[in-house]
Amino acid sequence: MVHLIFKINKEPILPPFYKNLELIREQFKSFTPQMVEEITEVPRDVLKDIVEKYCLADSAVCYGRIGVSTQQYGSLCQYLIYLINMLTDNFDRPGGFMLPSPAIDVVKAFGPRGTYEKFDAGEVG
């Protein structure tokens, strides 16, 4: 998808903390629709159609829950979910991928936990 996103959305607007757009573009250049079709058996025309509709939608979200994380390529899957949402301007905005606010902010309600300020390692060895 990322390869096709760059073809449709030539100049994505990324959050200010995200750097090296050209490096990302270069890293995904070899993941052509043909290559992805060979691996996934998803026809390239279907993939192109999905990506085009996703990129041109007023709002869209690529979303994965914990099952995405708890397998061999979990970190990569999570990275790609965030990347796809950022490259399509669907990151941290209404209608897109929103960073959650907790129902109850435990840290704010109860204060920080732990004994960091009271910790004394004493003498070592």
Side-chain angles (χ1 to χ4, degrees):
M1 279 186 75
V2 174
H3 176 90
L4 290 171
I5 290 169
F6 277 117
K7 288 190 174 286
I8 296 167
N9 191 5
K10 297 192 186 311
E11 294 300 323
I13 300 168
L14 294 179
F17 61 82
Y18 212 91
K19 309 285 187 234
N20 298 322
L21 181 61
E22 289 310 312
L23 177 63
I24 295 166
R25 188 185 312 262
E26 191 63 34
Q27 288 175 329
F28 287 93
K29 198 177 274 187
S30 65
F31 291 89
T32 64
Q34 296 81 1
M35 177 208 177
V36 173
E37 179 180 23
E38 290 171 15
I39 295 169
T40 65
E41 298 181 10
V42 174
R44 67 186 86 162
D45 292 337
V46 171
L47 182 62
K48 288 178 182 177
D49 187 53
I50 291 169
V51 173
E52 186 173 299
K53 286 177 180 173
Y54 186 91
C55 287
L56 300 176
D58 290 332
S59 63
V61 65
C62 180
Y63 181 75
R65 292 188 53 102
I66 194 159
V68 174
S69 307
T70 58
Q71 40 86 21
Q72 185 175 2
Y73 298 104
S75 296
L76 177 61
C77 291
Q78 289 294 343
Y79 169 75
L80 291 171
I81 287 170
Y82 280 84
L83 183 61
I84 288 167
N85 285 310
M86 285 190 278
L87 291 175
T88 57
D89 195 28
N90 285 299
F91 185 75
D92 203 23
R93 72 170 185 86
F97 187 87
M98 298 283 294
L99 299 176
S101 297
I104 299 172
D105 190 342
V106 177
V107 173
K108 190 174 186 179
F110 299 107
R113 306 288 296 184
T115 58
Y116 176 74
E117 293 175 1
K118 300 174 189 170
F119 181 74
D120 181 4
E123 288 189 33
V124 178

